[in-house]
Amino acid sequence: MTPTRTETLSLTDGRELRLTVAEPENAVRGGLVVLHEARGVTDTVRGLVGSLAAEGWLAVAPHLYDEVSGDEAPAMVSGLSGDAVLADTDVAFVWLGQQGVSQDRMGVMGFDLGGSVAMVVAASRTIGAAVTVGGGGILDPLADGLPSLVEVAEELTCPWLGLYGDDDAEIPFSDVEKLRDAAAAAPVATDVVRFARTSHRFDTTPEASAEAWQRALNWFDSHLR
């Protein structure tokens, strides 16, 4: 796994945005914006950023908010707005561009809360590809300021892959199937893969989890060229 570092950027509106980044040791295949889980940029997120860099991707995770405990996470999630998360991900995409990554080689990937936001980004911005891992808010939005995923599915502007585990008690598989149907109407390639038993965070080692990780890598390999 490639080491990560955190940069703080001063924005034109007076705010500061932290980015956790990891750079490949050799040639850069493209750039990926990694969107964090509900608790913020945790060790798991940093591990994901480093693992993507080890695969050749310049990876950057914007801190949509500071890391919080599990008890504090629901309040932070409910306060998010689509405009705010798009503004922060836009900064991350600009940062990738400044590192020499072209727009068609930029992708977005997120899990948990980040998985939902990744799909919102993929329906609002012109990038190369997107992967959602276990993103909730399929039928009912995670926050008043965010759309539901079925609401934006037909608006996808880039190839999108959704990875879901059937043992996720918070996301019924029936909702996942409705998301599959909605995404199928988008004018781009889409796919939804359900796993019988897996962790949607890539932090365990079952075969299904390894397959989910490989599918995500293959999706970016196929579409970010």
Side-chain angles (χ1 to χ4, degrees), residues 153-207:
E154 293 186 25
E155 301 171 7
L156 288 167
T157 63
C158 67
W160 171 80
L161 171 66
L163 301 171
Y164 286 88
D166 282 352
D167 58 348
D168 189 336
E170 297 181 1
I171 306 176
F173 69 84
S174 58
D175 286 8
V176 176
E177 288 304 309
K178 290 176 182 177
L179 180 60
R180 182 200 304 277
D181 293 341
V188 293
T190 64
D191 192 15
V192 172
V193 181
R194 287 170 43 197
F195 296 92
R197 295 193 62 80
T198 185
S199 167
H200 62 268
R201 301 181 182 219
F202 296 137
D203 57 2
T204 57
T205 56
E207 290 183 4

Side-chain angles (χ1 to χ4, degrees), residues 33-195:
V33 173
V34 180
L35 297 172
H36 62 69
E37 60 174 303
R39 291 179 297 153
V41 177
T42 60
D43 287 343
T44 299
V45 177
R46 285 185 281 272
L48 178 58
V49 170
S51 295
L52 289 169
E55 295 288 340
W57 301 101
L58 179 57
V60 52
H63 295 230
L64 304 179
Y65 48 76
D66 292 335
E67 184 176 348
V68 297
S69 69
D71 291 340
E72 298 170 308
M76 297 301 293
V77 172
S78 65
L80 286 177
S81 73
D83 288 343
V85 297
L86 286 172
D88 288 347
T89 53
D90 283 348
V91 172
F93 287 127
V94 169
W95 185 89
L96 287 174
Q98 292 172 340
Q99 315 311 309
V101 179
S102 59
Q103 194 172 45
D104 61 338
R105 294 192 301 126
M106 293 182 189
V108 62
M109 177 181 188
F111 61 101
D112 188 44
L113 164 68
S116 305
V117 175
M119 192 171 188
V120 174
V121 171
S124 306
R125 297 293 185 264
T126 303
I127 53 176
V131 174
T132 288
V133 188
I138 294 176
L139 302 183
D140 298 312
L142 292 177
D144 290 342
L146 292 174
S148 67
L149 298 193
V150 293
E151 184 180 341
V152 300
E154 293 186 25
E155 301 171 7
L156 288 167
T157 63
C158 67
W160 171 80
L161 171 66
L163 301 171
Y164 286 88
D166 282 352
D167 58 348
D168 189 336
E170 297 181 1
I171 306 176
F173 69 84
S174 58
D175 286 8
V176 176
E177 288 304 309
K178 290 176 182 177
L179 180 60
R180 182 200 304 277
D181 293 341
V188 293
T190 64
D191 192 15
V192 172
V193 181
R194 287 170 43 197
F195 296 92

